[in-house]
Amino acid sequence: MDKQAVTIYDVARQAEVSMATVSRVVNGNPNVKPSTRKKVLGIIEKLDYRPNAVARGLASKKTTTVGVIIPDISNAFFSSLALGVDDIATMYKYNIGLANSDGNTQKELTVFNTLLAKQMDGIIFMGRRITEKIREGFSRTYIPIVLAGTIDPTGEIPSVNIDYRLASKDAVSLLVSHGNEKIAFVSSPLINPINKQRLKGYEDIFLENDHLSYSEGLIFEVNYSFEKGKELAKRVKNAGVTACYITDDELAIGLMDGLLDLGVAIPEEIEIITSNNSVLTEFARPRISSITQPLYDLGAVSMRLLTKLMNKEEVGERNVILPYSIEEKGSTKRII
């Protein structure tokens, strides 16, 4: 028999049971005699029958599939979150429909609408910001949506994050404790609400330390990429800074690479600390000190929150804040 043509009817006929009985076995319904269940499972294995998830979804009004919108699958930050999402989805027997938006706001809306057309039971959104168009799209759907590593400034959409402002403040405070007074804030686009929070944390340090002088000339805003970080190196060096706090790991590696090419010693002349502690920080030499975000957990907790919302379980906290820490490596001076 052609495996592609195997249907629930074929299984029922060979097992000599009704299609309803096969359906109950496939869906784990306990109201099937053990001997019948064993027989049906044997036929399923023999015929290599694979239940049609779409057909099952039409019957149950659920597809057991979750859409995940990600801005850049090649970015270590987002891929780590996606791994956490996938593992918890597998645990709760959900399939994943992954859509890469390339950080393009129009494509973001297009892939969102495409996922809705495929009857997803819920969506996890990883985006650098919530545009008005995507917010309008969210408001038009009845399925649950959870943000992972993404801030909704209104706080209306369920989300999982860390306290980015406090983490930024702690990172810059560490640089201050090492004797640095001229500290650069190097950021990917500040239109991203997370980066706005990080900038506030950076500014908090200057408000709390009278001996530090805040200067907008120490704030550098460029796009997310290794190349942009490398191109920025000469400007940072010429600014006379002794330390940099950076909002993106790839950007941090690019900047450090550019500074090293210019003969700047890291960390002796300029210290560097970044924000995500992705695997990229381990590849660099020296290894880059970083805020340690629980990247896997951000994805995993987001997926668990979504399962609760999809199944109408009780949810204690809709906007979850996970703990973070700071890990010093080779790009900062360790004070003993």
Side-chain angles (χ1 to χ4, degrees), residues 81-308:
L81 266 65
L83 180 60
V85 170
D86 187 59
D87 281 356
I88 300 303
T90 300
M91 183 184 300
Y92 284 88
K93 300 186 179 349
Y94 282 93
N95 301 308
I96 291 292
L98 185 65
N100 188 42
S101 69
D102 295 324
N104 180 293
T105 54
Q106 184 54 52
K107 185 176 179 182
E108 200 169 66
L109 187 61
T110 299
V111 298
F112 172 71
N113 289 327
T114 299
L115 290 174
L116 290 185
K118 293 180 179 179
Q119 304 296 309
M120 299 290 162
D121 293 337
I123 287 178
I124 289 181
F125 180 85
M126 303 177 199
R128 293 182 170 118
R129 65 188 180 99
I130 307 295
T131 64
E132 285 308 309
K133 286 187 177 181
I134 200 72
R135 188 182 295 281
E136 288 172 9
F138 289 171
S139 68
R140 289 195 302 267
T141 181
Y142 293 100
I143 66 171
I145 294 168
V146 172
L147 308 179
T150 304
I151 287 181
D152 172 19
T154 70
E156 295 173 355
I157 306 170
S159 63
V160 181
N161 290 283
I162 67 165
D163 186 331
Y164 300 103
R165 180 173 183 169
L166 187 57
S168 170
K169 181 179 176 182
D170 286 348
V172 179
S173 180
L174 176 70
L175 296 174
V176 172
S177 73
H178 291 181
N180 295 291
E181 296 185 5
K182 204 166 186 181
I183 302 169
F185 178 85
V186 180
S187 179
S188 43
L190 286 167
I191 195 171
N192 179 340
I194 289 178
N195 289 337
K196 289 180 180 178
Q197 289 297 309
R198 288 168 169 156
L199 179 58
K200 286 180 180 178
Y202 170 82
E203 292 171 339
D204 287 343
I205 292 296
F206 291 87
L207 292 173
E208 295 175 9
N209 292 271
D210 294 336
H211 70 287
L212 299 178
S213 298
Y214 177 83
S215 169
E216 290 190 356
L218 297 181
I219 298 173
F220 300 88
E221 181 183 6
V222 295
N223 213 339
Y224 307 86
S225 75
F226 172 88
E227 291 77 13
K228 292 299 181 183
K230 191 164 185 174
E231 290 172 7
L232 188 64
K234 186 174 290 186
R235 288 174 56 200
V236 169
K237 180 184 179 183
N238 291 342
V241 305
T242 60
C244 300
Y245 167 61
I246 307 170
T247 66
D248 179 81
D249 291 357
E250 189 172 334
L251 188 57
I253 293 175
L255 175 59
M256 188 171 75
D257 196 56
L259 289 171
L260 290 170
D261 285 349
L262 293 172
V264 176
I266 309 292
E268 291 80 10
E269 294 179 76
I270 295 181
E271 293 187 71
I272 289 177
I273 190 165
T274 187
S275 298
N276 300 329
N277 203 33
S278 68
V279 67
L280 294 179
T281 64
E282 295 294 320
F283 295 160
R285 288 295 178 269
R287 293 161 63 239
I288 302 180
S289 299
S290 181
I291 295 166
T292 299
Q293 291 195 52
L295 300 183
Y296 177 91
D297 290 351
L298 284 170
V301 174
S302 299
M303 184 62 210
R304 180 63 184 112
L305 177 57
L306 186 63
T307 64
K308 288 183 177 181

Side-chain angles (χ1 to χ4, degrees), residues 70-79 100 250 280:
I70 189 166
D72 183 0
I73 192 63
S74 68
N75 185 292
F77 175 84
F78 293 111
S79 60
N100 188 42
E250 189 172 334
L280 294 179

